[in-house]
Amino acid sequence: MKYLILVGDGMGDYPLDELGGKTPLEAAKTPAMDELCAQGELFLTKTVPEGFPPGSDVANLSLIGYDPDRYYTGRAPLEAASMGISLAPDETAFRCNLVTLDRSLPEQITMVDFTAGHISSEEAAELIEVLEARCGGGIFRFYPGVSYRHLLILRGFLPGFKTVPPHDYIDQNISSYHQAYFQESTWAAMLTEAEAILAEHPVNRRRLDAGLLPANGIWPWGEGTTPTMPSLFERFGIIGSMISAVDLLKGIGTFAGLDIINVPGATGFIDTNYEGKAQAALDALKSQDFVFVHLEAPDESGHQGSIDNKIQAIEDFDQKIVDGITKELLSKNVDFRAVITMDHFTPISLRTHTSDLVPTILYDSRRYKTGTGLPFSERATSENDTEILANGHRLINKLLEQAEV
Ligand SMILES: [Zn+2]
């Protein structure tokens, strides 16, 4: 038996006037998911437990079978794992964005762009290298990542201030959170130096000359110490792979003890290598029991507020990933059970994540044509008094048809 979890990140949405009252998932042509849904089970999964923000970190932890209440320590330690950085027990990881701040108004600092104009990885690496050389060493260490996404490791435990995700404050006055970092003297010294370096750096002068946003600030957030998680092998005796373009998912996969497969051309956007991901999943299943395939593109389209991109991303997910994988397994008479779902909604109208229960298909190739008869949509569930899986992290037990070993 093979087990699959196929996730369209942020795929869920609300009905839109522009689509005649349909959601993007309903408007998209999704014959593969509709067929698997009609022949399978359909239920709602609570991926974001009470008291947690609806982040991809929390929601995907649930989907892969780990209770966020028990295992979630923060986003940054998960990303650190994906970058091959292991934290000592007394170290705290922070996601460290390069950002563009506007200080031109008195008493105000505006978060102009949490991506520093989608700065290139090459430019960013130059900046992070200088920050490490001049502000690192002592209790801080900087590690370069992709584009604006970097890591800051603190030797010691959580500081006594609250951090916030910069993408929640686009075009807003963020000065009170900025000042909070300066309450502690070691942080104040490090940040003062870092901002002075960034203000003068040739990379930023070149960006300004080219009409691009400068990376004139760093924004540490998402902090946490390293989680201790038993692997899926220890829990269920299964081995498997994580297929995703996104560091966060690779980090979760690392902690779950999965092989991390890097697919060439997997970008996290609508131009990603869908066929490559499907093929990687099929290759992994030749020798393994389980794959988790994650597609970021519907979420990015939701954040952009682009209906067309979201529909395209969902149709590509359906055709190239869901159909691409399941058709091949069916044609080879390989028995499998598959979950097809999303981690959370990223509604076009809100351009951010919500905590709605997510519609979830569970298909079993051995019980072909005994299922719901419904198409896959957010609405099919609400109209049909559907079962609710209140502990989303138990989805894995349902998929594997087993309790913990
Ligand atoms: Zn997500």
Side-chain angles (χ1 to χ4, degrees), residues 161-313:
F161 52 76
K162 178 178 159 53
T163 70
V164 293
H167 54 255
D168 284 351
Y169 291 85
I170 301 168
D171 287 334
Q172 293 179 42
N173 180 2
I174 199 164
S175 65
S176 64
Y177 295 109
H178 184 262
Q179 280 162 13
Y181 295 112
F182 289 80
Q183 287 163 13
E184 298 201 353
S185 57
T186 47
W187 281 80
M190 182 273 282
L191 283 164
T192 304
E193 173 82 2
E195 292 186 354
I197 291 166
L198 293 173
E200 295 299 320
H201 199 282
V203 161
N204 279 330
R205 275 195 247 119
R206 282 200 299 271
R207 290 183 64 80
L208 283 167
D209 287 346
L212 301 171
L213 291 173
N216 59 8
I218 59 170
W219 197 269
W221 63 283
E223 64 273 17
T225 53
T226 201
T228 322
M229 290 161 44
S231 69
L232 290 176
F233 181 76
E234 289 166 310
R235 292 175 60 197
F236 301 107
I238 58 166
I239 56 165
S241 288
M242 164 64 71
I243 297 168
S244 171
V246 177
D247 278 345
L248 172 66
L249 271 289
K250 294 179 190 178
I252 293 173
T254 301
F255 280 112
L258 299 176
D259 287 351
I260 309 302
I261 299 183
N262 291 303
V263 175
T267 59
F269 295 104
I270 56 166
D271 61 352
T272 198
N273 182 0
Y274 296 89
E275 291 89 349
K277 285 181 157 183
Q279 191 55 50
L282 290 166
D283 290 344
L285 288 172
K286 284 176 188 157
S287 59
Q288 299 186 322
D289 313 296
F290 171 75
V291 290
F292 190 105
V293 184
H294 168 264
L295 179 73
E296 178 77 354
D299 178 64
E300 287 288 337
S301 310
H303 287 299
Q304 288 172 340
S306 169
I307 298 174
D308 289 348
N309 282 0
K310 190 158 186 182
I311 290 176
Q312 184 67 53

Side-chain angles (χ1 to χ4, degrees), residues 9-10 55-56 60 294 296 299 343-344 346 353:
D9 198 303
S56 294
N60 280 292
H294 168 264
E296 178 77 354
D299 178 64
D343 52 348
H344 51 72
T346 308
H353 305 172

Side-chain angles (χ1 to χ4, degrees), residues 11-297:
M11 194 159 62
D13 213 306
Y14 302 143
L16 290 166
D17 289 343
E18 295 91 326
L19 298 175
K22 291 182 173 176
T23 68
L25 179 57
E26 289 170 332
K29 288 186 196 67
T30 56
M33 291 194 283
D34 288 344
E35 190 168 337
L36 295 172
C37 185
Q39 297 173 7
E41 290 177 53
L42 178 63
F43 50 92
L44 292 168
T45 305
K46 188 174 175 65
T47 55
V48 181
E50 296 303 329
F52 285 88
S56 294
D57 42 10
V58 167
N60 280 292
L61 259 188
S62 289
L63 288 181
I64 202 163
Y66 293 87
D67 184 358
D69 258 331
R70 192 163 158 198
Y71 295 109
Y72 182 72
T73 60
R75 177 190 184 105
L78 300 170
E79 293 188 336
S82 81
M83 292 163 69
I85 301 163
S86 45
L87 300 177
D90 67 342
E91 290 183 327
T92 304
F94 291 73
R95 156 64 88 76
C96 185
N97 281 42
L98 284 170
V99 298
T100 307
L101 302 173
D102 180 357
R103 299 180 178 83
S104 62
L105 293 171
E107 313 272 311
Q108 179 163 336
I109 295 175
T110 307
M111 176 59 65
V112 177
D113 191 346
F114 67 94
T115 74
H118 279 101
I119 188 167
S120 72
S121 299
E122 292 73 26
E123 290 173 305
E126 261 191 73
L127 298 177
I128 295 295
E129 193 180 323
V130 176
L131 294 179
E132 170 62 12
R134 295 191 33 202
C135 310
I139 62 168
F140 297 106
R141 298 199 314 276
F142 291 84
Y143 289 90
V146 176
S147 181
Y148 59 91
R149 311 173 188 93
H150 311 284
L151 275 183
L152 173 64
I153 310 290
L154 168 70
R155 200 173 69 230
F157 291 102
L158 297 183
F161 52 76
K162 178 178 159 53
T163 70
V164 293
H167 54 255
D168 284 351
Y169 291 85
I170 301 168
D171 287 334
Q172 293 179 42
N173 180 2
I174 199 164
S175 65
S176 64
Y177 295 109
H178 184 262
Q179 280 162 13
Y181 295 112
F182 289 80
Q183 287 163 13
E184 298 201 353
S185 57
T186 47
W187 281 80
M190 182 273 282
L191 283 164
T192 304
E193 173 82 2
E195 292 186 354
I197 291 166
L198 293 173
E200 295 299 320
H201 199 282
V203 161
N204 279 330
R205 275 195 247 119
R206 282 200 299 271
R207 290 183 64 80
L208 283 167
D209 287 346
L212 301 171
L213 291 173
N216 59 8
I218 59 170
W219 197 269
W221 63 283
E223 64 273 17
T225 53
T226 201
T228 322
M229 290 161 44
S231 69
L232 290 176
F233 181 76
E234 289 166 310
R235 292 175 60 197
F236 301 107
I238 58 166
I239 56 165
S241 288
M242 164 64 71
I243 297 168
S244 171
V246 177
D247 278 345
L248 172 66
L249 271 289
K250 294 179 190 178
I252 293 173
T254 301
F255 280 112
L258 299 176
D259 287 351
I260 309 302
I261 299 183
N262 291 303
V263 175
T267 59
F269 295 104
I270 56 166
D271 61 352
T272 198
N273 182 0
Y274 296 89
E275 291 89 349
K277 285 181 157 183
Q279 191 55 50
L282 290 166
D283 290 344
L285 288 172
K286 284 176 188 157
S287 59
Q288 299 186 322
D289 313 296
F290 171 75
V291 290
F292 190 105
V293 184
H294 168 264
L295 179 73
E296 178 77 354

